[in-house]
Every structure is written in C-alpha cells, then in structure tokens.
Amino acid sequence: MKTILNTLYVQTQGSYLRLDHETLKLEVEKELKFQIPLHHLGGIVAFGNVLLSPFLIHKCAEDGRNLIWLTEYGRYKARLAGSTTGNVLLRRCQHQAVDSPESTLAIARYMVAGKLQNARSIVMRAAREAKDKTDKDILSKTAQIHAESIQNTETASDLDKLRGIEGYAAKAYFGSFTQMIRQNRIAFTFTERTKNPPRDPINALLSFVYTLLTNECISACESIGLDPQMGFLHALRPGKPSLALDLMEELRSPLADRLVLTLINRGQIKPEDFTERPGGAIYLSEDGRKTILAEYQKRKQEEITHPIVGSKIPLGLIPHVQARLLARHLRGDVPSYQPFILRG
Amino acid sequence: MFAADEYVMLSALQHFAFCPRQCALIHIEQAWAENIYTLRGLRVHEKVHQPGDELIEEGIRIERSLTLYSHQLGLKGIADVVEFLPDGTPYPVEYKSGSKKSRLADNIQLCAQALCLEEMLDRPVLKGAIFHHQSRRRRKVLLDDRLRSLTLQTIEQTRSLLALGKLPPPVKDKRCDDCSLIETCMPHAVNYFTESAHQNNPFLIK
Ligand code: SF4
C-alpha cells in the first residue's frame, strides 16, 4: 500500500521556504530552522505570512504535491493547481452522474447512510462509556434517532428528503455532543454548530479540524482526477467544493470529531488554549493548534482494515481510497459507491 | 492510414500483453501516468551514472531515446536505445528496471520497435535484446515469425481496447502482486465487490 507522506504545517509567521536541490529549507530571519528532503512530503500547508520561493512552488506543481494557503487562524485561502491532468472520461462520467437524478440520489444515499453509521457508532460508544445516567439516556436517544434515520435513507425518494433526514440526525448528534465530553465540561459546553466565526471552543476545534479534512478531500478528488466541485449530496454553488464535502461527510466522525473529543477528554486541549476576539469569535491559540496538528498527524498513521479494499490502510489515506472507489463506480467498474464505515 | 489519435504507443503494447486492464488504466484512465514518467526519468538517470553497464564493441553506434513510428501499423513511441551495427543494421535494446514483468510482454514491445525501425530505415531487423537492469544481463531476442504475428495481433487488440474507452475487469491472478497500479486498479474491491458490499451495507443497523 502507498505510504502516507507527511504534510508539513508551517505556522511560524515570517517563515521562508525554499528549495535547495531536492531539499526543502525553512528559514526564519535568514536562519535555517528546519530541512527535509522534499520527496518525504506529501503536502505543505502554510498558515498566514509564510513565503515560498517560486522554484519550490513550481516543483510542487510538477510533482502534484499539495500546497495550501490558510490564514494564520486556519481559514482556507488558496491552493496550488498545476496543469490539468487525469482522466477526461472519468470527469465526463462524473458530470453525467450529476445530471442524472437517479444516479445522484443513489450515490447521495450511500454517503448519508455511511455518515450516519459512523456518527451512530461514536455516539453508541460514548453511551456505553458514560457514567452518568442522564448522559447515557441522551446519547442512547441520539443513537436511536440515527438508527431510524439510517433506515429512512434507504427509501428517501429525493435529495431534499435525504438532506432533511441528515439534518435531523445531525441536530441530535450535535445536541448531545456535550454528553460525550468528560473533562472541563463547563468550559466545553456545546449548544449548536456555529461557523464563520466559531463562537465557542468546541466550534473552534471542529472548524479547524474540518478545514484540514476538507483540504485533504479536495486533494483526494484532484489526485484521482475527479472534479471536487461536482458533488452529489451538496448543492452545486460557485466556489464550493461540493464533492469534497460529500466525501467528507462519512469521515467527519471517525477522523475529526473523535480526535476533538479525545484531545479534550485526555486533557491535551484545555480551556486556556482559546482566545476570544472582539465580537465574540473564539480562536485556538498557536500552541493549541500545534497540539492538534501533531495528534492529527499521528492519527492519520493509524491503520485500519478497509472493508471494501480488503487490506490495511492508514486512516490518512481513507479520503483517497474513497475518492477512488467513487471513481470506480462512476466508470462503471462497480455497481454502487460504498462509503467508509468504521465499525466498533 | 491511421488518424493521429489511432496511433498506439509502443509502451501500451507491453502493458496490454502484461494485463489489458493495466493498459486501460494507464492509457485511458491516465492513472499514475506521472509515476511512470518518474520511473523512466530515474532509469535514464541511473544509466548516465553507470557507464559500465553496457559493453559496447568497437564500431557500434548508439542512439538513445530515438523516436519511432510506423505509419503502416499506426504505432509510435520512443526506444530507449538502438544500436547500429557496423553495417548499419539497427539493433533495438529495451531497458527494463525493477521487478520482473512478463517476458512475453517485453518481447512484444521489442518486436514492435523492430517493426517501426524496419519501416523507418527500410531494412530488416531480425534481432534485438532486453537489458535487465537488476541482473545487468542482456537477453537476446530473435524476432521470428511467431513473435511478429503475435505482435501484430497485440497491436490490433490494443487499438480496439483503447478505442472502446472502457476498463476490462481485473485479471485476478498473481500478476496483481507485482503490479504498480494495484491501488488504482483495486482488483480486490472490484472482484469481491458483491461480497464486501454485503458486509459493508450502510443501510443495515448492527
Ligand atoms: S492490479 Fe492486476 S488486474 Fe489490476 S492492472 Fe495490475 S495486474 Fe491488472
């Protein structure tokens, strides 16, 4: 199996990255701070004021290495796109599937069902582990709602109904998120999902990790040759990476939410790791982001047995594998898109 | 005789002879095409630094990366090395790096190169060689009638596969073990799909 290459996250403001032969060098105020052979890197994520030499950018474009620019606080700004490659026939099949209501609904159903399965399993696990009776009850109720919703996805007659089912389950899921928190529960109370900007620490954490995951899903689509904007479940809107967001649905719980919960429950992320900006937006401190990135990288190396591919795969490669499974389906190789379901 | 997009790449013949699906993945799906170029680059690089690899006799002239074509057969490609014997007879040598691929596939590719050379230079090419980088061995290949007709057959089969634009199913055998496209191909996911999809049924509550 393909090895999972590291992503270099550069957070130090004023860093300069340049290429010296095949080695990437990171300098801060003309002083060399870090170097690594470029071929060890699968991607580079630059936060805020990070400069990159043109030669490094060219080389990344040539090799198809990801290069992503975020703001200092982790909001997505831009990504490098080299010349268009990949399979035009695959893209055409994708467009045809998007144009066909039946194909779209079929793919979207599998995606939503996969998402709800993964959300349900995280909730059920929390319910099993909960000591408090009220917590247990709330979580069990949420798991029950998911079970019913999953069954409804199979028969949903159109996309709107499917989205309604998903929205209803998501509301229950986030409504019981606090019940999955076992440390610093007062500081980490969660009421509803708020974005742009996040208004409490959990939302800040989720937004940050979701940004990382979205970018990985976009890269996965692009490296497989799928158009990341042509989605099935998410509506098509200019500038919106709908397909990447589709693929991300089933990965949110196992890859992002679980990580956030673990970091809080192990006390690795504490209330002090957040700052409030004027206007009530809550942001993660630089140290907090560092902790998350380190744990995120570690989690990506963990291996699981993929139910469809049948071999062991690091979690970090799941977006790629899923994009490939979707491509196989769109090209008529297999009769359905199979979402990634993490059992247990 | 052939339209520009009906020309078959010499490398496609070798891929086809190894596994038709591999051929389709590379030449239709353009899967990992960049990796193949990377590999090729690496190979050339190695060669430049190991001049002792080739024992060349006096009077033999070498052309590297020679563009080959046959308008009659609708073929195009690049030969790694063509040696020209003192009497001017071309002698194609195909370099193989890394894992063992099918011998027959290599022979077919070499033979197709010879067919191009025959048309381009208007003289018979009856022999060639495969150079295995790992073992540093040269294997002589006789371009006899049997190999020629097999090659012609492969050219036609490859052309129809590429014209169809569809992926044939995976071959399901030990070729997959040393195929560099196994991740893109997902032979397991395709061949055992029904079984694994049954176990992965997302609508089922467990
Ligand atoms: S993995 Fe097997 S079936 Fe797929 S291309 Fe390679 S040899 Fe052919």
Side-chain angles (χ1 to χ4, degrees):
Chain A
M1 207 49 199
K2 184 169 154 193
T3 48
I4 163 157
L5 291 171
N6 269 318
T7 302
L8 179 68
Y9 297 95
V10 187
Q11 292 208 71
T12 310
Q13 300 302 292
S15 302
Y16 178 56
L17 303 183
R18 65 182 180 85
L19 197 59
D20 183 356
H21 295 92
E22 296 293 304
T23 302
L24 176 133
K25 297 202 163 167
L26 190 160
E27 296 166 355
V28 181
E29 289 173 359
K30 302 228 158 106
E31 200 183 308
L32 182 68
K33 293 282 185 197
F34 174 78
Q35 60 177 35
I36 184 171
L38 192 64
H39 68 265
H40 287 179
L41 290 178
I44 301 171
V45 180
F47 288 78
N49 182 27
V50 172
L51 307 176
L52 299 114
S53 79
F55 304 109
L56 176 60
I57 296 174
H58 299 172
K59 183 88 174 101
C60 288
E62 262 170 38
D63 297 354
R65 187 174 287 107
N66 295 311
L67 181 47
I68 291 155
W69 287 272
L70 306 179
T71 65
E72 192 180 346
Y73 298 104
R75 275 197 66 184
Y76 174 79
K77 281 289 156 189
R79 66 197 334 279
L80 176 70
S83 38
T84 306
T85 53
N87 177 10
V88 66
L89 300 179
L90 170 62
R91 279 198 296 275
R92 194 177 64 176
C93 291
Q94 183 187 358
H95 287 225
Q96 283 166 346
V98 169
D99 277 343
S100 146
E102 302 87 65
S103 311
T104 299
L105 182 61
I107 295 172
R109 263 193 197 137
Y110 275 92
M111 288 173 161
V112 173
K115 172 194 175 144
L116 299 183
Q117 288 283 0
N118 286 330
R120 178 169 174 260
S121 83
I122 192 173
V123 168
M124 290 210 307
R125 182 154 128 184
R128 274 199 306 274
E129 290 168 2
K131 305 233 159 46
D132 183 277
K133 170 97 171 49
T134 323
D135 286 354
K136 216 182 240 317
D137 289 349
I138 294 175
L139 289 165
S140 305
K141 178 90 206 315
T142 302
Q144 186 52 40
I145 288 175
H146 276 72
E148 287 156 17
S149 304
I150 288 165
Q151 277 157 345
N152 292 337
T153 56
E154 196 171 10
T155 50
S157 54
D158 59 50
L159 263 190
D160 282 339
K161 295 221 174 68
L162 190 63
R163 289 183 186 132
I165 295 167
E166 189 218 340
Y168 175 65
K171 205 158 173 250
Y173 178 78
F174 284 120
S176 51
F177 209 79
T178 306
Q179 272 65 48
M180 296 195 268
I181 288 162
R182 296 194 299 263
Q183 289 265 346
N184 298 310
R185 196 183 269 190
I186 307 221
F188 288 115
T189 300
F190 184 86
T191 45
E192 57 170 340
R193 183 81 184 101
T194 53
K195 309 170 237 188
N196 308 325
R199 303 216 158 256
D200 58 56
I202 299 242
N203 272 301
L205 285 168
L206 290 176
S207 290
F208 184 74
V209 183
Y210 287 166
T211 303
L212 300 176
L213 194 54
T214 310
N215 281 312
E216 278 169 26
C217 291
I218 297 175
S219 312
C221 292
E222 275 171 357
S223 65
I224 304 303
L226 290 164
D227 180 341
Q229 291 198 327
M230 275 277 164
F232 299 93
L233 176 63
H234 286 83
L236 309 186
R237 298 255 182 284
K240 184 161 132 183
S242 301
L243 181 65
L245 296 173
D246 283 0
L247 284 179
M248 191 172 140
E249 288 301 347
E250 68 213 46
L251 307 178
R252 282 179 198 267
S253 295
L255 263 53
D257 302 353
R258 258 188 202 189
L259 177 75
V260 165
L261 287 168
T262 310
L263 285 168
I264 295 173
N265 287 341
R266 282 202 207 129
Q268 284 169 286
I269 287 280
K270 296 191 193 64
E272 304 85 86
D273 290 317
F274 300 86
T275 48
E276 184 168 349
R277 315 281 316 259
I282 302 287
Y283 283 106
L284 259 163
S285 67
E286 190 178 329
D287 277 349
R289 290 200 303 267
K290 255 189 208 151
T291 310
I292 295 177
L293 291 172
E295 285 301 316
Y296 185 63
Q297 293 276 54
K298 247 197 249 165
R299 180 133 177 85
K300 282 192 345 190
Q301 306 284 351
E302 273 172 40
E303 291 199 332
I304 48 98
T305 301
H306 193 287
I308 301 293
V309 177
S311 56
K312 285 205 160 200
I313 288 169
L315 277 176
L317 276 186
I318 299 290
H320 285 265
V321 171
Q322 291 307 123
R324 230 171 236 150
L325 282 173
L326 180 62
R328 292 275 78 105
H329 167 57
L330 293 171
R331 290 289 282 141
D333 247 1
V334 292
S336 58
Y337 166 69
Q338 286 290 319
F340 170 69
I341 300 174
L342 188 62
R343 301 277 181 201
Chain B
M1 266 198 351
F2 290 96
D5 61 359
E6 286 170 346
Y7 277 66
V8 171
M9 300 277 290
L10 288 167
S11 57
L13 301 175
Q14 186 223 340
H15 297 138
F16 183 92
F18 177 71
C19 164
R21 185 168 163 95
Q22 191 197 56
C23 179
L25 283 168
I26 295 171
H27 300 274
I28 298 171
E29 301 261 303
Q30 305 206 294
W32 280 31
E34 65 273 24
N35 286 36
I36 283 157
Y37 293 131
T38 316
L39 269 178
R40 187 174 277 274
L42 212 70
R43 227 155 64 172
V44 172
H45 187 78
E46 281 170 17
K47 253 182 343 205
V48 173
H49 291 279
Q50 292 168 342
D53 279 355
E54 303 163 44
L55 287 172
I56 298 303
E57 289 159 38
E58 202 88 21
I60 294 180
R61 187 167 56 83
I62 293 185
E63 290 282 345
R64 290 181 200 278
S65 304
L66 189 67
T67 301
L68 300 183
Y69 59 83
S70 159
H71 298 308
Q72 272 162 34
L73 300 171
L75 286 179
K76 62 175 179 186
I78 294 172
D80 286 332
V81 167
V82 179
E83 296 175 3
F84 287 87
L85 307 180
D87 70 351
T89 304
Y91 186 87
V93 182
E94 177 62 15
Y95 278 63
K96 293 292 162 201
S97 63
S99 63
K100 262 182 255 143
K101 286 274 163 65
S102 139
R103 235 177 203 226
L104 194 60
D106 291 347
N107 291 2
I108 287 172
Q109 193 185 2
L110 187 76
C111 180
Q113 292 180 357
L115 295 175
C116 291
L117 287 165
E118 287 181 343
E119 181 181 319
M120 287 162 66
L121 304 166
D122 196 20
R123 55 191 307 162
V125 181
L126 303 174
K127 279 178 286 184
I130 310 280
F131 180 81
H132 291 273
H133 210 288
Q134 251 169 5
S135 60
R136 306 274 142 93
R137 284 258 164 78
R138 231 177 215 241
R139 177 166 63 80
K140 259 196 205 141
V141 179
L142 214 60
L143 308 169
D144 57 15
D145 287 347
R146 244 183 90 226
L147 181 57
R148 279 166 194 261
S149 73
L150 190 61
T151 304
L152 292 177
Q153 200 186 323
T154 308
I155 295 168
E156 282 331 300
Q157 287 172 336
T158 307
R159 197 185 328 273
S160 10
L161 174 84
L162 298 181
L164 211 60
K166 285 218 174 77
L167 284 187
V171 291
K172 291 192 203 205
D173 60 25
K174 60 181 192 311
R175 273 176 275 181
C176 301
D177 296 339
D178 37 49
C179 173
S180 56
L181 287 178
I182 187 162
E183 286 161 41
T184 310
C185 170
M186 300 186 135
H188 179 96
V190 175
N191 283 332
Y192 304 100
F193 185 80
T194 322
E195 210 174 297
S196 47
H198 182 68
Q199 279 164 23
N200 192 57
N201 182 359
F203 304 112
L204 198 75
I205 303 296
K206 287 197 185 169

